[in-house]
Amino acid sequence: MKYKIRVYNLHTNKETIKVDEVFETKDAAEAAIENHKLQNPEKYEYVKIPVQN
């Protein structure tokens, strides 16, 4: 299954960063999230969204 990432301001439901990339696996999406967390620690909440083909 493929995944997209949604990025929200911490403690809100307002989407703040648009990530258009579609990740081929759950592991690839999680790796991208970890990379974003290193750049912006404790600033955003990340959600993996499954994408159907």
Side-chain angles (χ1 to χ4, degrees):
M1 182 172 284
K2 294 181 181 183
Y3 291 87
K4 280 189 152 189
I5 297 174
R6 296 286 185 245
V7 184
Y8 299 93
N9 283 324
L10 198 59
H11 306 299
T12 70
N13 61 351
K14 184 178 178 184
E15 189 171 353
T16 186
I17 299 173
K18 184 134 176 113
V19 180
D20 291 328
E21 186 174 353
V22 176
F23 299 92
E24 293 296 322
T25 66
K26 185 176 182 180
D27 291 336
E30 289 174 354
I33 288 171
E34 289 303 317
N35 187 34
H36 282 276
K37 283 183 179 179
L38 290 174
Q39 295 174 13
N40 301 301
E42 300 182 29
K43 190 172 181 180
Y44 302 113
E45 182 176 354
Y46 302 88
V47 179
K48 293 182 298 293
I49 307 294
V51 178
Q52 289 187 346
N53 297 344

